[in-house]
Amino acid sequence: MTDVRGSDGRIGETNARRAPGTPCWVSLMVHGPAAIHDFYGALFGWEFRPGPQQLGPYARALLDGREVAGIGQLPPDRQLPTAWTPYFASVDVNRTADTVRLCGGTVGVGPLDAGEAGRMALGSDPAGAVFGIWQAAAHLGTAVAGVPGTPAWNELLTYETTGVAKFYETVFGFELDPETSAGRDHVTLRLAGRPVAGIQGVGDALPRDRGPHWMTYFEVADTDASVELLVGLGGHVHTPAEDTVHGRVATVADPEGARFTVVRPPR
C-alpha cells in the first residue's frame, strides 16, 4: 500500500474520465442487499439508489449525493463467496478482455452493456484473483475520493508478485515498481509515475479459504471507532487496528463475510 488519498491522487471530486488502467470503481455482490445496505449506510454514511439492472438488482452507494461504490445481489441459487471487486478503466473492454485471455487470465462475465452507464467485464488473473474492467459512458466511476467513506486504495494479495505483476502490466499498461527491501515481496502499480494500486506476495500466509484476491481500503476518520461500530453492526475483525506508515488500519468483514480494510491516513 502506497497512497491512501485516492487512486487519482486528488482529494475531493473525481469526475474526470480515468486513464486506462486506473482503478475507477468498486463493487460488491451479496445475498441480502437490504441488510448490507443498512450495514454500510451506518458504517460509512452511504445512501443508495438503483443502478443498471443487467446483472440483477443493483444499487449505487452515494456519499453526500456522489457515487462511491456499487452493491448488487447474487443469484439466489448460487452460494458464491462475497468479495469487494475493483474495476479498472478501459477505453475498449472487448480488447482488454481479449488481452486478459491471451495473457493467461479468464473472463467470467461479459463483456456486456450496463445500460447507458458503460460496458463491463469480470475477469480473473492467472492466480485466480477477480477484477473488473469498466469502459465508461454515462457513468465514469467513483465520484469522490480522499474523504471518509470513500475507496482509498486497492491491494492484490497473492502468492508471489513476479508472474502476476507482468500480467497486469501487459493488460493495463502499469509501470511496475518493485520494493527492494529484503524479505518483502511487493510491487506498486503506477500510471504516468503515480501509484494507483499494489500487489503483495504473501506466500503460504494467504488464507486458504480465500485464495488470491483484491483488497479494497476505505478511508475513515477514526479507525478504532469504525471497528467498534462495525462489530456492533454485525461485522467481524480479522486484523485488529494497528499503526503503519500508511496510517492506522484494520482488516474487517461485513456480516456476509466480504473482507475490506479501513484506514485513517496519517495526519
Side-chain angles (χ1 to χ4, degrees):
M1 183 174 152
T2 302
D3 182 355
V4 298
R5 302 305 295 175
S7 61
D8 66 348
R10 298 194 302 275
I11 299 174
E13 301 273 1
T14 63
N15 290 321
R17 189 172 298 275
R18 270 71 166 186
T22 306
C24 60
W25 188 244
V26 291
S27 189
L28 173 66
M29 301 296 286
V30 298
H31 300 285
I36 293 299
H37 290 179
D38 291 342
F39 172 84
Y40 286 103
L43 183 64
F44 292 142
W46 292 351
E47 299 177 337
F48 294 88
R49 72 177 180 203
Q53 304 296 303
Q54 278 70 19
L55 296 179
Y58 190 84
R60 292 178 183 161
L62 308 179
L63 184 67
D64 296 327
R66 293 172 289 181
E67 298 171 338
V68 293
I71 296 179
Q73 183 173 2
L74 288 165
D77 58 341
R78 301 283 298 278
Q79 295 302 311
L80 299 172
T82 59
W84 281 100
T85 301
Y87 281 71
F88 299 95
S90 171
V91 296
D92 186 336
V93 68
N94 291 65
R95 182 179 299 173
T96 302
D98 287 342
T99 306
V100 167
R101 297 186 187 98
L102 288 171
C103 293
T106 61
V107 177
V109 177
L112 54 81
D113 291 324
E116 297 180 354
R119 191 163 168 79
M120 58 82 65
L122 282 173
S124 57
D125 65 32
V130 176
F131 60 90
I133 308 165
W134 182 251
Q135 180 182 332
H139 174 63
L140 300 181
T142 302
V144 60
V147 297
T150 62
W153 185 253
N154 291 285
E155 186 96 356
L156 173 61
L157 302 178
T158 190
Y159 296 110
E160 56 84 26
T161 63
T162 303
V164 77
K166 288 293 184 182
F167 168 84
Y168 287 98
E169 178 186 33
T170 304
V171 172
F172 293 111
F174 295 128
E175 305 146 16
L176 306 184
D177 183 10
E179 188 167 325
T180 56
S181 61
R184 180 167 161 82
D185 184 16
H186 186 273
V187 175
T188 299
L189 303 178
R190 297 178 179 270
L191 289 173
R194 60 185 175 86
V196 295
I199 303 176
Q200 177 71 53
V202 298
D204 293 338
L206 195 68
R208 292 186 178 182
D209 63 333
R210 296 281 299 164
H213 62 281
W214 281 93
M215 174 72 73
T216 297
Y217 288 65
F218 291 97
E219 182 167 336
V220 294
D222 185 320
T223 302
D224 295 85
S226 295
V227 169
E228 183 178 359
L229 175 59
L230 174 140
V231 171
L233 294 168
H236 309 280
V237 178
H238 288 280
T239 304
E242 61 178 345
D243 292 317
T244 73
V245 296
H246 307 295
R248 189 160 177 80
V249 303
T251 300
V252 296
D254 66 27
E256 289 204 11
R259 296 187 187 186
F260 58 98
T261 295
V262 290
V263 56
R264 186 202 68 197
R267 295 172 178 172

